[in-house]
Amino acid sequence: MRATRVTGGPTPADGGPVRLPHPRTREPFASPVPPGAGWPGDVASPATPVARSADDVARLAAASSDLADVDACSTVCRACPRLVAWREDVAVVKRRMFRDQPYWGRPAAGFGDAAATLLVAGLAPAANGANRTGRLFTGDRSGDWIFAGLHRAGVANQAESVDAADGLALTGVRMAAAVRCAPPGNAPLPAERDACEPWLRRELELTAGTVRGVLALGAFGWGAVLTVARHLGWSVPRPAPRFGHGAVAPLTRPDGVVVHLVGCYHVSQQNTQTGRLTEAMLDDALALALRLSRGTPPA
C-alpha cells in the first residue's frame, strides 16, 4: 500500500505541528515525536546529546556507560541525512490506515532484557512499523512472526506486539537492529550501515556479561554481527562464515568466551508469504540459538 500524505487535518491555533493521540495511551504527540515528550518507552530527553556525523556516533556510543545511554543517544541520532529525511517524511506522510496516529519518526533503540543471554539482530526498522510505534518489530507483519515465535519459545509474555505501551516483555532475550533508522526500500547504504555500527558494537560490549548467542535475521544482520565481532577483536572463523538458515558460527572473545552466531531467514513478508520461512523453521532456529546461548548442546 502506498503512503498518502495527510491533508485537511486539524491545525493547531499556535501554528505548531499537529498533535495526534497515541493509539493506546491517548496522549497527544507531534510526528516525529520530540525526545522527552512522554512517548511510552522513550528514555531520551531534550538534553540527550545528538550525533550528527559518523564520528559523533562512534564517540557517543563509546562514552555510553549503560544500555539506557545507548538507547537514549541512538534514538536522537541524526548522523545520516538521507535516513533522517526519509524517516521524518514517512512520519508526516503516513500510511492511510494510520493517518489518525502520531508516528515516532526517530531511530529505534534495542529492546528487551538487559541481562539477556540471546541477542536477536535484525536489519532496520520498518517505515510504518517501528518508525511508527517506536519499538523494534512492533506494528508490522514481521513483528507478528518474530514475537509469536518468541512467545512459543517461552521468552515473550505475549504473542503480539502492537505498540510500545502494550505490556510486551522479553525474558533472556534482547533485540537490536543493525541500522536504527527506517531506510528507503528497506535498503540502507553501506556508509549508513557503517555509521550505525558503533551502536550495536556498544550493545554487545555492555551485554558481554550475559550474551552467549546471537540470532541473525537475514544476511544483512549476519554480516553486521561479523563486522562488530571483528571490531571488538573477537576471533572470527576464516574464511568468513556464510549466512544460511540454521548456520552456526562460533565467535571467540579475547577472554575465551564463545558467542554462537546462528542464522535465520528474515521474518519479512517476502519470506513468510512465499514459504521460504515457515513457523517450524523459525522455531527450530530460535530453539537452537536459545540452547547455545544457555550453554546447552544442540539436540
Side-chain angles (χ1 to χ4, degrees):
M1 178 184 294
R2 293 182 62 84
T4 302
R5 182 172 293 278
V6 177
T7 59
T11 302
D14 62 3
V18 174
R19 289 156 58 90
L20 296 172
H22 187 276
R24 187 173 301 269
T25 69
R26 309 311 297 172
E27 291 293 320
F29 294 96
S31 302
V33 177
W39 188 270
D42 186 7
V43 294
S45 76
T48 299
V50 178
R52 300 186 182 278
S53 67
D55 288 343
D56 284 350
V57 172
R59 176 177 54 82
L60 290 173
S64 297
S65 60
D66 54 28
L67 289 174
D69 278 350
V70 175
D71 292 347
C73 289
S74 64
T75 60
V76 298
C77 183
R78 303 183 68 83
C80 301
R82 187 184 78 115
L83 297 187
V84 172
W86 171 258
R87 78 189 191 214
E88 294 186 353
D89 186 60
V90 169
V92 173
V93 173
K94 306 180 187 291
R95 178 170 283 179
R96 182 180 294 276
M97 65 188 299
F98 303 125
R99 65 186 304 169
D100 61 342
Q101 299 181 17
Y103 267 53
W104 171 252
R106 286 164 46 197
F111 166 73
D113 192 342
T117 60
L118 177 67
L119 179 72
V120 178
L123 193 167
N128 296 282
N131 190 57
R132 172 176 60 88
T133 64
R135 191 174 69 196
L136 286 176
F137 289 108
T138 297
D140 60 23
R141 290 295 298 163
S142 294
D144 293 344
W145 267 73
I146 188 61
F147 284 114
L150 291 169
H151 185 255
R152 291 192 296 270
V155 293
N157 68 331
Q158 59 193 45
E160 294 183 337
S161 181
V162 180
D163 58 66
D166 62 10
L168 176 68
L170 302 179
T171 301
V173 175
R174 180 173 172 86
M175 314 184 84
V179 174
R180 308 283 156 128
C181 293
N186 292 321
L189 300 176
E192 294 163 347
R193 174 202 62 201
D194 295 346
C196 211
E197 183 269 340
W199 299 127
L200 182 60
R201 188 194 322 169
R202 188 58 178 149
E203 282 195 55
L204 272 176
E205 286 181 317
L206 291 170
T207 56
T210 57
V211 166
R212 298 294 180 267
V214 179
L215 181 68
L217 299 178
F220 192 98
W222 177 273
V225 173
L226 291 179
T227 297
V228 166
R230 294 187 185 98
H231 287 172
L232 289 173
W234 297 5
S235 178
V236 176
R238 295 185 179 181
R242 296 183 61 182
F243 171 77
H245 186 81
V248 178
L251 309 176
T252 306
R253 300 184 338 200
D255 59 4
V257 171
V258 175
V259 176
H260 300 277
L261 176 62
V262 178
C264 178
Y265 290 142
H266 198 281
V267 288
S268 65
Q269 290 191 62
Q270 181 179 3
N271 287 338
T272 58
Q273 291 183 349
T274 61
R276 189 185 191 206
L277 177 67
T278 65
E279 286 188 357
M281 293 170 64
L282 174 60
D283 290 348
D284 287 346
L286 183 55
L288 173 60
L290 284 168
R291 285 197 298 268
L292 291 171
S293 74
R294 295 164 177 168
T296 304

